Amino acid sequence: MDFLDRFAVPNPSIAIYASMVAIGLTVVAIFAGLTYFKKWGYLWREWLTTVDHKRIGIMYLISALIMLFRGGVDAIMMRAQLAVPDNKLMDAQHYNEVFSTHGVIMLLFMAMPFIFAFMNYLVPLQIGARDVAFPRLNALSFWLFFFGAMLLNISFVVGGSPDAGWTSYFPLAGNELSPSVGTNYYMFAIQISGLGSLMTGINMITTIIKMRAPSMTLMKMPMFTWSSLVTNLIIVTVFPVLTVALAMGSMDRLFGTHFFTTTNGGMDMLWANLFWVWGHPEVYILILPAFGLYSEIISTFAGRNLYGYKSMVASMVIISALSCLVWAHHFFTMGQGPTANSFFSITTMAISVPTGVKMFNWLFTLWKGKIRFTVPMLYSIGFIPLFVIGGMTGVMLAMSAADYQYHNTMFLVAHFHNVIIPGVVFAMLAGLTYYWPKMFGFMLNERIGKWAFWLLSIGFCLAFFPMYITGLDGQARRMYTYSEATGYGALNMVSFVGAGIMAISFAIIVYNVYYSVRYSPRNISADPWDARSLEWATHTPVPEYNFAITPNVASSQAFWDTKKKGHELFSGELEKIHMPNNSGVPFIMGAIFFVWGFSFIFSLWIPAIISTIAILVCLVLRSFEVDHGRYISVKEIEETEIKLRGVN
Amino acid sequence: MKIDHSLPLEYSTKQNDQNIFGFWVFLAAEIMLFATLFTSYFTLEHRVGNGPSGSEIFEITPVLIETLVLLTSSFTIGLGIHAMRIGKQKAMLTFFAITLVLGLGFLGFEIDEFITYIHEGATLQTSAFTAILMMTLGTHGAHVTFGLFWGAGIVMQIKKRGLTPETTNKSFIFSLYWHFLDVVWIFIFSFIYLKGMM
Ligand code: HEM
Ligand SMILES: [Cu+2]
């Protein structure tokens, strides 16, 4: 019995038991459905074992959307709890668990896979490549992310959720103050998916540097590919820092070391430093690909080349360098003294300069353009003013002396949601709508999409702008309730209403998918938006080899040149194409990592050893395997090409 | 798979070229990993709590032996790659075998060193200093251990399949890895041991 007690949730409630039942039923339903419709083979052959970058991209996308809903439910619960003073909906512990999970899920298991979805899907198409440099590794990255995310997601029904915030500061996150296994989940779930991110970083850099079509020089790459290159450079630079920090944190919790404790020489601030050396660049890992997507979308719907291509690239490179020099702005109040604070204040404010350059470039792209207000464009145009507000409050926070007033208040919460929602989430929704026809062969309904956009924007402003005010009035973040005398009640109620409107808007997006699956016309062209860059020169659906002939590009707007200036993209003979074979090993390795993480989380040493060995065995098998891939013959390519051209 | 015969075997296909480039990027990530460990080491170096400090437990003799053994192994693997380039499979395998044996010797001394520390009361749990010391050394040691298995696997593959674009590519990448571990060790030797003993 003692043994089983460890897996029980420490603070159970009706909601948790209900979720357990719901999870159980869903799993049963999925298994039954797959068996009934005889889809196991299809699932395994076409998806679980795939190494095709497009399919992996779509799997990232689906996971990100599911996680968006999980994180969204957490968000609604928090806003409901704070809607009125002295609310008893949740107790302090439960609230701690909810905001910690919300942060981790939204940043690492929603936003990250969302950007990886677009990188996977788009980068090879934008550079004229057949796949990424290491397709099998790419599949492994995905499955590590997936099983890492699953690990965190089971925490609230098995053993308890992390409750020390998404930043997991020590000593709060140490064994004494966080005795449940929740923080172990945090350490291992992020470690596993972080490994996947690092591998994606290596893979993407190699792909972009080594696999571009021969005519595509670096300065002819579409802007999204540039943003991906810079982003992945940041990933490779900072994820190892997180790896070390998480390893130290895990050792403190599992093996009783003294890295971050307050005794025997341990240093809690070391965690804060390591965490933010990764954490701040991490927010730029999220925003730069979003900037890339906006660049593509704005130039398409303004009908003009992107203004200031070179300065766009330069500003991204400068942002990426500066982003590694600002981390201490997250703890100005922790007493590192005026010299250090001034340094980090100045570097932080300096970041807004290259960001401003990008803003003006987008505005100049719009200037005199014939703007088409489609759904992706609405998100992009909404992004500009809203993100500027978020950036400006960021500069306010960057003034270290003033930050003593703002730090850890709702003002900060308003700031980062103000940059992340109009910045990252809008970009993802815009990209989703924009690339949907390329991915799935039909458009999402524009009218419904516009409803969703307007509701999301209005809901966002209602939900987060009041927090600037309550924050300046002193409402602390991460507090599960407040008294009536503080007078925060009314504005928090407004926030709750705003959050509700955002939830409705997400429901409308889901409805839009359903509606469009049923009613959207299927006979659309391969270029429904009249777009400009190379990915649109492919057929819809994109054949597995992407391009029958490696394209010959003349600029970053290669497809536009072809349509308007008579540039010839594809010339030369068809040749047989080399493609990688599918493999089940990445999926299996991901599953073993899940067991590995779970065993460490619960200190089950025998399964931990066995799964460690199993992982190594997978590596050995991979090393000894002979796999030369396969060829698609010229005849097969011709047949596919004729069939696809017939559709359009 | 197109093979370009003007290039050395390990670079002769496009995939090979990508593998080597990708591995350099991986090494960049490894540099960040060890840089983080070193930074943390310098931060925690003097936070010894009730435990011993570096100057109390470090001994020069075993460390010097470890250094010499590992440096030699870096040299022999270089010879191995040279032999591979000129197509001498047997010489190459011999040098690789010597490298692995030296690696094993290094590991033996390192394990002995750890046991000594533990006997002297410097365990993983003693203080922040001992924890970061053992973690930094341990991470390097784990890399060497992993390398031993990896290298052994490559030797077996070359025995079975000869010098092909694939096996030479793997050997070359392995040699990059091994040299890298040597460079890390030089930093450990200078900035952990020598600095600690001064
Ligand atoms: C002009 C650009 C920006 C500036 C000057 C800036 C400045 C700051 C400062 C000084 C803080 C710490 C405040 C405190 O803890 O008291 C902060 C927090 C934060 N920022 Fe920004 N920021 C900027 C852009 C961004 C962007 C683009 C993102 C994400 C896409 C972002 C995400 C965050 C997050 C997540 C936090 C809070 C983390 C936490 O404590 O939980 N920021 N920002
Ligand atoms: Cu920051």
Side-chain angles (χ1 to χ4, degrees):
Chain A
M1 219 39 225
D2 265 1
F3 179 76
L4 287 179
D5 273 351
R6 295 158 62 195
F7 300 103
V9 185
N11 311 288
S13 70
I14 307 279
I16 288 180
Y17 289 128
S19 321
M20 283 182 188
V21 176
I23 292 176
L25 289 179
T26 317
V27 172
V28 171
I30 292 175
F31 273 65
L34 284 170
T35 314
Y36 182 78
F37 292 106
K38 301 203 168 55
K39 288 287 181 201
W40 282 108
Y42 165 79
L43 187 68
W44 177 255
R45 274 191 313 275
E46 303 287 327
W47 295 96
L48 301 189
T49 60
T50 189
V51 293
D52 182 333
H53 70 98
K54 301 181 283 298
R55 285 174 184 247
I56 292 177
I58 288 173
M59 291 196 290
Y60 271 119
L61 193 68
I62 295 171
S63 319
L65 288 172
I66 295 173
M67 287 297 109
L68 180 64
F69 280 88
R70 165 79 213 269
V73 171
D74 288 339
I76 292 288
M77 283 162 68
M78 285 188 284
R79 285 327 313 173
Q81 163 66 20
L82 292 184
V84 289
D86 298 313
N87 202 352
K88 296 276 171 337
L89 199 61
M90 283 189 256
D91 56 26
Q93 172 64 23
H94 194 188
Y95 190 77
N96 291 349
E97 294 179 13
V98 171
F99 74 67
S100 306
T101 323
H102 168 76
V104 175
I105 289 198
M106 284 302 203
L107 284 162
L108 291 155
F109 300 134
M110 187 283 286
M112 283 298 270
F114 230 136
I115 67 160
F116 286 150
F118 288 111
M119 278 184 199
N120 265 289
Y121 200 90
L122 293 178
V123 165
L125 297 182
Q126 288 201 328
I127 63 175
R130 299 252 149 79
D131 207 316
V132 292
F134 311 114
R136 178 97 64 106
L137 193 67
N138 200 23
L140 182 60
S141 290
F142 171 75
W143 290 113
L144 287 179
F145 146 72
F146 180 85
F147 282 105
M150 286 302 109
L151 204 52
L152 194 91
N153 271 287
I154 62 165
S155 65
F156 81 115
V157 287
V158 187
S161 296
D163 54 4
W166 86 280
T167 48
S168 224
Y169 277 174
F170 285 79
L172 176 62
N175 277 335
E176 260 160 71
L177 298 173
S178 295
S180 89
V181 292
T183 305
N184 296 355
Y185 269 111
Y186 172 98
M187 299 285 161
F188 282 88
I190 299 180
Q191 186 72 286
I192 291 172
S193 69
L195 266 176
S197 305
L198 180 60
M199 291 175 193
T200 303
I202 295 170
N203 211 338
M204 285 288 160
I205 293 176
T206 313
T207 308
I208 297 173
I209 298 296
K210 287 282 176 184
M211 295 182 74
R212 297 190 314 277
S215 51
M216 186 177 280
T217 57
L218 281 178
M219 288 315 247
K220 285 183 190 160
M221 295 196 308
M223 194 47 66
F224 179 74
T225 300
W226 254 114
S227 71
S228 302
L229 177 61
V230 176
T231 304
N232 285 299
L233 287 170
I234 309 182
I235 289 182
V236 170
T237 314
V238 299
F239 264 79
V241 181
L242 180 70
T243 307
V244 172
L246 290 172
M248 290 174 173
S250 311
M251 286 176 39
D252 268 10
R253 289 187 57 88
L254 295 178
F255 304 131
T257 53
H258 292 283
F259 288 109
F260 308 132
T261 60
T262 45
T263 51
N264 289 321
M267 190 185 196
D268 45 6
M269 278 311 286
L270 182 62
W271 166 268
N273 276 280
L274 293 179
F275 182 85
W276 285 114
V277 167
W278 162 80
H280 187 85
E282 164 67 18
V283 304
Y284 281 87
I285 292 171
L286 300 176
I287 200 71
L288 289 179
F291 286 173
L293 285 172
Y294 287 131
S295 300
E296 303 288 349
I297 291 169
I298 288 177
S299 110
T300 296
F301 294 111
R304 304 188 61 211
N305 278 353
L306 190 63
Y307 184 90
Y309 180 94
K310 280 185 196 152
S311 61
M312 281 295 201
V313 173
S315 58
M316 277 194 295
V317 175
I318 295 171
I319 288 177
S320 70
L322 280 177
S323 78
C324 297
L325 295 173
V326 300
W327 75 89
H329 68 210
H330 292 276
F331 42 85
F332 281 141
T333 55
M334 303 266 205
Q336 52 269 13
T339 321
N341 274 3
S342 312
F343 172 82
F344 286 104
S345 249
I346 292 168
T347 51
T348 305
M349 288 189 233
I351 287 203
S352 54
V353 177
T355 316
V357 169
K358 301 186 80 70
M359 284 292 161
F360 281 109
N361 282 340
W362 287 313
L363 291 176
F364 285 132
T365 310
L366 292 169
W367 182 252
K368 288 191 178 165
K370 268 211 231 59
I371 300 175
R372 287 177 285 153
F373 289 98
T374 57
V375 171
M377 189 59 166
L378 284 177
Y379 280 114
S380 313
I381 290 186
F383 147 77
I384 293 176
L386 289 177
F387 189 83
V388 168
I389 298 174
M392 291 201 314
T393 56
V395 177
M396 289 172 70
L397 289 162
M399 297 183 241
S400 54
D403 188 56
Y404 277 72
Q405 178 69 22
Y406 316 134
H407 182 59
N408 269 351
T409 66
M410 293 312 258
F411 188 88
L412 166 72
V413 176
H415 154 69
F416 68 74
H417 285 90
N418 204 164
V419 277
I420 289 180
I421 294 177
V424 184
V425 178
F426 276 25
M428 299 306 139
L429 295 174
L432 186 71
T433 320
Y434 185 55
Y435 287 108
W436 190 276
K438 183 94 309 198
M439 292 176 177
F440 302 110
F442 60 92
M443 318 257 296
L444 289 176
N445 185 285
E446 281 280 299
R447 196 170 42 86
I448 305 178
K450 283 180 187 167
W451 271 100
F453 163 75
W454 284 109
L455 284 177
L456 189 61
S457 301
I458 294 167
F460 165 77
C461 294
L462 282 180
F464 291 99
F465 288 166
M467 291 183 204
Y468 282 126
I469 302 168
T470 58
L472 290 180
D473 276 349
Q475 188 185 359
R477 75 190 286 207
R478 293 174 175 169
M479 291 293 286
Y480 83 109
T481 193
Y482 52 88
S483 72
E484 188 157 12
T486 56
Y488 302 142
L491 286 171
N492 276 284
M493 184 46 104
V494 176
S495 278
F496 175 58
V497 173
I501 297 178
M502 290 173 82
I504 294 173
S505 142
F506 284 118
I508 293 179
I509 292 173
V510 175
Y511 173 71
N512 195 4
V513 172
Y514 163 79
Y515 181 90
S516 308
V517 167
R518 289 202 61 171
Y519 302 113
S520 211
R522 295 303 197 270
N523 57 345
I524 55 163
S525 81
D527 173 30
W529 304 110
D530 196 15
R532 311 171 78 87
S533 44
L534 188 59
E535 71 272 24
W536 295 98
T538 53
H539 299 295
T540 303
V542 186
E544 63 163 334
Y545 49 79
N546 297 349
F547 297 93
I549 295 172
T550 303
N552 181 13
V553 306
S555 77
S556 64
Q557 318 273 317
F559 189 47
W560 191 252
D561 298 343
T562 314
K563 287 193 289 188
K564 303 287 151 151
K565 300 187 196 150
H567 173 79
E568 202 182 336
L569 259 185
F570 304 107
S571 55
E573 293 284 298
L574 285 182
E575 280 175 46
K576 61 178 181 171
I577 295 175
H578 183 252
M579 296 300 290
N581 284 328
N582 282 0
S583 164
V585 178
F587 175 81
I588 294 169
M589 262 182 98
I592 301 175
F593 262 101
F594 181 90
V595 178
W596 179 84
F598 190 86
S599 316
F600 273 98
I601 289 166
F602 286 95
S603 313
L604 305 170
W605 302 122
I606 293 169
I609 293 169
I610 296 175
S611 46
T612 309
I613 294 173
I615 291 167
L616 294 173
V617 168
C618 285
L619 293 178
V620 172
L621 289 179
R622 170 62 175 146
S623 177
F624 277 82
E625 180 184 348
V626 184
D627 176 10
H628 293 289
R630 70 205 150 83
Y631 281 98
I632 305 181
S633 69
V634 175
K635 200 168 137 263
E636 240 174 291
I637 302 170
E638 270 169 354
E639 276 164 15
T640 318
E641 290 290 304
I642 289 168
K643 205 175 88 208
L644 288 173
R645 228 168 283 145
V647 173
N648 304 322
Chain B
M1 198 66 70
K2 273 191 221 111
I3 298 183
D4 182 346
H5 292 287
S6 66
L7 295 169
L9 263 186
E10 71 269 19
Y11 276 104
S12 61
T13 68
K14 194 160 182 319
Q15 185 67 48
N16 276 4
D17 182 43
Q18 285 166 15
N19 290 349
I20 293 172
F21 182 87
F23 199 77
W24 277 108
V25 182
F26 171 73
L27 287 184
E30 288 273 60
I31 290 175
M32 284 307 297
L33 186 98
F34 280 102
T36 311
L37 285 170
F38 278 114
T39 315
S40 308
Y41 180 83
F42 298 141
T43 313
L44 300 177
E45 194 179 0
H46 301 294
R47 304 177 71 99
V48 294
N50 301 322
S53 69
S55 54
E56 285 164 26
I57 54 173
F58 292 157
E59 277 174 55
I60 191 74
T61 328
V63 175
L64 262 184
I65 299 175
E66 284 164 42
T67 309
L68 282 176
V69 169
L70 205 63
L71 282 183
T72 318
S73 80
S74 205
F75 179 63
T76 54
I77 199 167
L79 292 176
I81 293 299
H82 182 69
M84 179 184 94
R85 279 261 169 93
I86 54 179
K88 299 224 159 110
Q89 182 176 328
K90 245 180 120 187
M92 171 196 175
L93 286 180
T94 317
F95 283 126
F96 263 59
I98 298 176
T99 306
L100 294 180
V101 171
L102 289 170
L104 199 63
F106 167 84
L107 211 61
F109 279 104
E110 184 153 59
I111 292 171
D112 184 62
E113 191 191 323
F114 266 59
I115 294 173
T116 320
Y117 290 159
I118 291 170
H119 279 303
E120 287 167 1
T123 67
L124 194 60
Q125 287 85 3
T126 308
S127 67
F129 161 69
T130 58
I132 188 65
L133 174 73
M134 294 199 161
M135 184 170 178
T136 311
L137 297 179
T139 308
H140 179 267
H143 275 75
V144 173
T145 315
F146 183 81
L148 290 179
F149 285 101
W150 184 12
I154 289 175
V155 168
M156 278 150 77
Q157 288 176 29
I158 292 184
K159 269 204 170 139
K160 219 160 70 188
R161 301 177 198 157
L163 296 177
T164 67
E166 273 103 25
T167 53
T168 49
N169 187 245
K170 287 181 188 180
S171 313
F172 184 75
I173 288 174
F174 176 67
S175 78
L176 292 180
Y177 178 80
W178 200 260
H179 290 311
F180 170 74
L181 292 184
D182 214 35
V183 174
V184 172
W185 180 259
I186 292 173
F187 278 86
I188 291 181
F189 179 70
S190 324
F191 293 109
I192 293 185
Y193 291 114
L194 288 188
K195 184 163 167 277
M197 277 183 272
M198 272 192 306

